[in-house]
């Protein structure tokens, strides 16, 4: 974070400053800002966020022991540290992020990219950060820091030397993206897709589309909207962008796309495509598995182009990326038993894409094994969406379907109903049971996909299998 005095932080956050020790109103603070006391370092600012399971105020002492020199709190605590008491620490965190980014932007040449979509946000964020970092200091979220806490924490990592801020915006409810993007008003707004992820919490896919469009509305009127024109709901956001006077750049496989992919091929060594941009064509070889990641790459190339990076440079930098992110199509295991751990998150779209990738990368004589858990936050559509994935797994000829956990039982029943009999499909109660089954069931030549929503935790099962067959 840029250096601010304690008095400035109190004014920005609307808080009551309580000094301790030798601190004065003019004492400067420029350390890391976080809600996790374990992430504190010398000079850090600890945000004591109350939570459903615990209360950050209990960990102020631990934050101080790790180097925190200031705590934002909702009530005074006994720990010996300067505190600013605010009505709502999350609101105060957002206000601080807004002011810091505004100051950096006013003083230099900071450019901000916002990314949203039902799937692909984190991968696209990582792709774009990799492209931009060769041109200047780039700040991007750790993991999926895209909510009311993670997004401002990321924003507060900018300094006077930061050239690019890449922000990822998730939607907890209608209005969330507008609020988060409104903190920084991105120069470039990237909308990837509108799918069924979280649709249960929004009341359907059309409401989800409206929520994603908030990023376009909250971005700078003189900025650029980067839209997936293969997705009709995203393509329709052009009307919003046009109405605000924004430049619109489309990406996809559609002939009208400014940056387009063709000749997509998926293999065990990665994903190949031909990228067409600015009237020229370029070969792309991503080491990341899955045809669906070509769309994420197109989004990153297009956004980078809006910031002045040539397609050739963007592509050469993308080709150095080894994996999209831990637990996202992450290759593990060995040449005999290959594990693909893609269990950080799951939606109907990403589950289908992962299953298709498994089928595509498995050679004759090898066996496909899908280890599948539940997809969360689908609301009243959950049953039919799990049915659809069970049917798809059978129709893709996945040879072993291992369904884990009671919430995913309907997926198993759909697979059996479609014809996955004679132990081709099995339902197991939990991760431990699945591990014991797979430990003896897997054999040379197996290609294994592990996929579930984050809340199910199958990523840890994937790690155990990866270690077992390393």
């Amino acid at each position: 974070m840029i250096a601010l005095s304690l008095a400035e932080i109190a004014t920005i956050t609307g808080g009551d400053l309580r000094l301790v020790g030798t601190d004065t109103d003019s004492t400067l603070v420029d350390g890391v800002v976080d809600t996790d006391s374990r992430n504190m370092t010398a000079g850090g600012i600890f945000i004591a966020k109350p939570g459903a399971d615990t209360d950050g105020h209990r960990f102020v002492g631990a934050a101080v022991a790790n180097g925190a020199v200031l705590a934002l709190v909702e009530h005074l605590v006994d720990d010996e540290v300067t505190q600013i008491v605010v009505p709502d620490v999350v609101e105060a965190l957002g206000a601080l992020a807004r002011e810091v980014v505004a100051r950096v932007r006013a003083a230099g040449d900071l450019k901000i990219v916002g990314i949203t979509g039902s799937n692909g946000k984190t991968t696209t964020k990582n792709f774009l950060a990799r492209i931009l970092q060769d041109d200047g200091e780039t700040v991007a979220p750790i993991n999926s820091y895209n909510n009311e806490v993670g997004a401002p924490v990321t924003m507060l990592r900018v300094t006077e030397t930061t050239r690019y801020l890449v922000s990822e915006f998730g939607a907890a409810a209608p209005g969330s993206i507008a609020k988060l993007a409104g903190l920084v008003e991105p120069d470039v707004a990237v909308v990837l897709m509108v799918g069924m992820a979280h649709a249960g919490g929004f009341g359907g896919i059309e409401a989800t589309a409206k929520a994603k469009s908030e990023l376009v509305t909250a971005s700078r009127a003189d900025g650029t909207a980067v839209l997936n024109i293969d997705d009709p709901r995203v393509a329709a956001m052009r009307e919003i962008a046009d109405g605000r006077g924004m430049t619109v750049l489309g990406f996809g496989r559609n002939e009208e796309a400014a940056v387009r992919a063709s000749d997509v091929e998926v293999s065990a060594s990665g994903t190949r495509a031909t990228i067409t941009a600015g009237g020229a064509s370029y070969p792309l070889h991503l080491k990341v598995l899955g045809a669906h990641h070509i769309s994420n790459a197109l989004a990153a190339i297009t956004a980078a182009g809006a910031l002045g990076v040539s397609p050739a440079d963007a592509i050469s930098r993308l080709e150095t990326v080894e994996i999209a992110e831990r637990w996202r199509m992450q290759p593990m295991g060995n040449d005999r038993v290959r594990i693909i751990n893609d269990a950080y998150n799951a939606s109907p779209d990403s589950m289908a894409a992962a299953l298709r990738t498994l089928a595509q990368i498995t050679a004759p004589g090898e066996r496909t094994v899908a280890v599948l858990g539940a997809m969360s936050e689908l609301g009243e559509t959950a049953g039919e969406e799990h049915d659809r994935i069970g049917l798809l797994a059978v129709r893709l000829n996945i040879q072993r379907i291992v369904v884990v956990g009671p919430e995913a039982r309907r997926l198993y029943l759909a697979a059996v109903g479609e014809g996955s009999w004679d132990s081709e499909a099995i339902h197991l109660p939990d991760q431990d049971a699945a591990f014991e089954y797979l430990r003896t069931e897997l054999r040379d030549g197996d290609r294994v996909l592990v996929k579930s929503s984050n809340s199910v935790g199958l990523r840890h099962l994937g790690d155990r299998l990866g270690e077992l067959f390393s």
Side-chain angles (χ1 to χ4, degrees):
M1 191 183 81
I2 63 173
L4 295 172
S5 71
L6 293 173
E8 285 179 300
I9 297 173
T11 299
I12 292 165
T13 59
D16 182 14
L17 177 61
R18 303 295 177 93
L19 299 166
V20 300
T22 60
D23 284 345
T24 69
D25 284 3
S26 59
T27 298
L28 296 177
V29 181
D30 63 356
V32 65
V33 182
D34 211 302
T35 59
D36 191 331
S37 62
R38 296 167 296 185
N39 293 338
M40 284 294 101
T41 56
I45 302 173
F46 179 62
I47 311 299
K49 177 182 177 293
D53 300 319
T54 188
D55 186 345
H57 292 81
R58 295 175 49 205
F59 298 94
V60 172
V64 173
N66 286 334
V69 296
L70 172 64
L72 260 63
V73 297
E74 294 182 2
H75 58 79
L76 287 172
V77 296
D78 293 335
D79 300 278
E80 191 70 9
V81 63
T82 292
Q83 300 168 50
I84 297 177
V85 184
V86 297
D88 186 316
V89 294
V90 174
E91 291 294 326
L93 176 65
L96 186 60
R98 177 191 291 110
E99 180 65 19
V100 165
V101 171
R103 291 192 186 193
V104 173
R105 191 181 228 160
D109 190 31
L110 176 66
K111 296 296 182 184
I112 301 170
V113 181
I115 300 171
T116 195
S118 297
N119 297 112
K121 294 184 295 296
T122 299
T123 298
T124 303
K125 171 262 298 184
N126 288 338
F127 283 170
L128 182 57
R130 172 62 194 91
I131 293 169
L132 296 178
Q133 70 184 26
D134 284 3
D135 279 2
E137 181 183 307
T138 300
V139 170
I142 300 167
N143 299 321
S144 292
Y145 273 30
N146 62 22
N147 63 9
E148 62 180 358
V149 172
V153 162
T154 299
M155 295 167 188
L156 285 166
R157 287 168 45 210
V158 303
T159 69
E160 293 87 350
T161 58
T162 303
R163 184 171 178 186
Y164 299 111
L165 168 63
V166 180
S167 287
E168 178 183 337
F169 298 123
S176 326
I177 293 174
K179 183 175 182 179
L180 291 175
L183 296 176
V184 294
E185 296 182 344
D187 300 282
V188 180
V190 181
V191 186
L192 301 171
M193 66 170 297
V194 176
M196 290 302 297
H198 315 300
F202 288 93
I205 196 166
E206 296 304 330
T208 302
K210 185 175 181 181
K212 301 304 180 186
S213 74
E214 292 170 8
L215 176 57
V216 180
T217 304
S219 296
R220 288 197 157 189
D222 60 352
T224 301
V226 173
L227 305 178
N228 177 6
I229 63 172
D230 291 343
D231 184 324
R233 293 182 177 86
V234 178
M237 296 177 195
R238 172 186 287 274
E239 183 176 347
I240 299 172
D242 286 343
R244 304 191 68 241
M246 300 176 72
T247 299
V248 177
L249 297 175
F251 67 90
R253 299 197 192 186
N254 191 299
E255 291 285 344
E256 297 179 3
V259 180
R260 180 168 56 89
S262 58
D263 304 323
V264 178
E265 297 179 2
V266 179
S267 70
S269 65
T271 311
R272 295 180 182 273
T274 298
I275 307 300
T276 301
S281 294
Y282 311 85
L284 167 67
H285 180 203
L286 280 179
K287 296 173 185 173
V288 180
L289 299 175
H292 52 297
H293 287 307
I294 291 296
S295 181
N296 300 329
L298 289 174
I301 294 166
T302 309
L307 297 170
V309 180
S310 71
D313 286 343
I315 288 168
S316 67
R317 296 169 193 176
L318 278 179
E319 291 182 330
T320 69
V321 177
E322 296 289 338
I323 61 171
E325 179 91 16
R326 187 182 181 192
W327 299 318
R328 287 178 170 86
M329 298 302 288
Q330 181 180 2
M332 307 178 78
N334 55 40
D335 289 338
R336 295 183 298 106
V337 178
R338 175 63 64 192
I339 312 295
I340 303 171
N341 193 349
D342 192 34
Y344 186 83
N345 220 331
S347 68
D349 296 307
S350 68
M351 186 80 83
L355 285 169
R356 291 190 181 99
T357 300
L358 175 65
Q360 288 169 332
I361 68 171
T362 304
E366 298 175 343
R367 184 174 67 158
T368 50
V369 180
V371 184
L372 307 176
M375 301 174 287
S376 61
E377 300 183 60
L378 295 177
E380 62 183 17
T381 67
E384 63 187 75
E385 293 298 337
H386 283 87
D387 288 349
R388 188 168 70 86
I389 295 302
L391 297 176
L392 177 64
V394 176
R395 291 169 184 174
L396 288 172
N397 196 30
I398 304 301
Q399 292 153 284
R400 285 289 184 273
I401 303 170
V402 181
V403 181
V404 184
E407 299 86 356
R409 181 172 174 79
R410 189 156 166 178
L411 191 160
Y412 162 74
L413 294 175
V416 171
E418 185 67 9
S420 188
W421 306 326
D422 192 25
S423 299
E424 290 176 359
I426 184 171
H427 181 253
L428 298 166
D430 53 40
Q431 289 190 49
D432 288 338
F435 179 77
E436 289 305 314
Y437 169 78
L438 291 163
R439 188 164 61 89
T440 56
E441 169 66 19
L442 295 181
R443 66 193 191 203
D444 287 2
D446 281 352
R447 299 297 177 254
V448 186
L449 170 70
V450 183
K451 182 75 172 169
S452 75
S453 280
N454 193 18
S455 59
V456 179
L458 289 196
R459 63 193 185 280
H460 303 302
L461 173 61
D463 285 344
R464 291 172 71 186
L465 293 172
E467 183 177 351
L468 178 66
F469 292 102
S470 62

